[in-house]
Amino acid sequence: MDRKGWPGTLAVAAVLVVLGVGLPMADRRVSAGAVPLPAGARIQVGPLGEDEQRPVSVQVPDGWALDIDATELSESVALLNGSTSFQLSVIMSEGATPEQLWHGLGRIEQAGGIHARQGETVTITTTQGVPGLAGPVTFQDRMAMVAVFAAAALGADVVVAGPPAEVMGADVGAMLRSIRFAGAGA
């Protein structure tokens, strides 16, 4: 190739390097699917009621974002804070107890071919007074903290994954206690 063709070849190579290396690096740094939420925001989830309100909500502390790619507000909401994720899903479980929901979760995992080991549970209650159970669930090489809540008309389950200090931290505990159910108590 003569010298006249080198500048064009180098320009094309530079563009390809930017497209092949630079853009994927930038894409990993910018999460287009995460929308920052203001501290204290209350996110509603579940099917819309006649009053145009969703039946379950959670309040987020500072630093959390809505993962729009993993959220379907009629069913579940996914929240992120760094490498910690908090997934709240509505369960149609009229009249169920937290124990029934916890054991049902294990049966659903088995039926779905998921090999999970449930750990010891502890009782947890929302500030609204809705009872629940929380405990670790181990999936092969990963562990998550799972909580289930049983209100009179429906329930909810939460899966929190991330570094253990954050999963068991104050933010997650506050979020679990902040879950509210329409028509349940105070």
Side-chain angles (χ1 to χ4, degrees):
M1 186 180 280
D2 65 25
R3 290 186 182 204
K4 290 182 184 178
W6 281 107
T9 302
L10 292 175
V12 169
V15 168
L16 290 174
V17 167
V18 167
L19 291 174
V21 176
L23 286 179
M25 286 174 58
D27 187 44
R28 281 191 294 275
R29 288 191 186 138
V30 177
S31 179
V35 176
L37 297 168
R42 186 159 283 283
I43 308 302
Q44 297 181 351
V45 63
L48 281 174
E50 291 178 16
D51 60 355
E52 296 297 313
Q53 298 290 312
R54 298 188 187 277
V56 179
S57 67
V58 63
Q59 189 170 17
V60 296
D62 189 35
W64 288 81
L66 176 69
D67 181 354
I68 59 175
D69 296 331
T71 294
E72 179 60 50
L73 287 178
S74 64
E75 299 172 10
S76 68
V77 62
L79 304 168
L80 303 170
N81 185 355
S83 59
T84 302
S85 67
F86 183 102
Q87 179 92 26
L88 168 64
S89 302
V90 174
I91 305 170
M92 299 306 177
S93 62
E94 189 169 342
T97 66
E99 291 80 11
Q100 289 169 322
L101 293 179
W102 184 261
H103 294 298
L105 177 67
R107 287 192 303 272
I108 290 169
E109 291 165 350
Q110 287 176 344
I114 299 171
H115 302 289
R117 190 179 67 226
Q118 294 177 321
E120 290 293 317
T121 60
V122 295
T123 59
I124 185 169
T125 304
T126 68
T127 56
Q128 190 182 28
V130 175
L133 290 174
V137 176
T138 305
F139 305 91
Q140 294 175 353
D141 62 343
R142 294 175 290 162
M143 190 172 129
M145 193 276 295
V146 176
V148 293
F149 295 94
L154 50 88
D157 75 54
V158 177
V159 177
V160 185
E166 292 176 23
V167 168
M168 304 307 283
D171 274 4
V172 170
M175 291 169 72
L176 290 171
R177 289 186 302 279
S178 80
I179 295 173
R180 294 187 58 83
F181 293 83

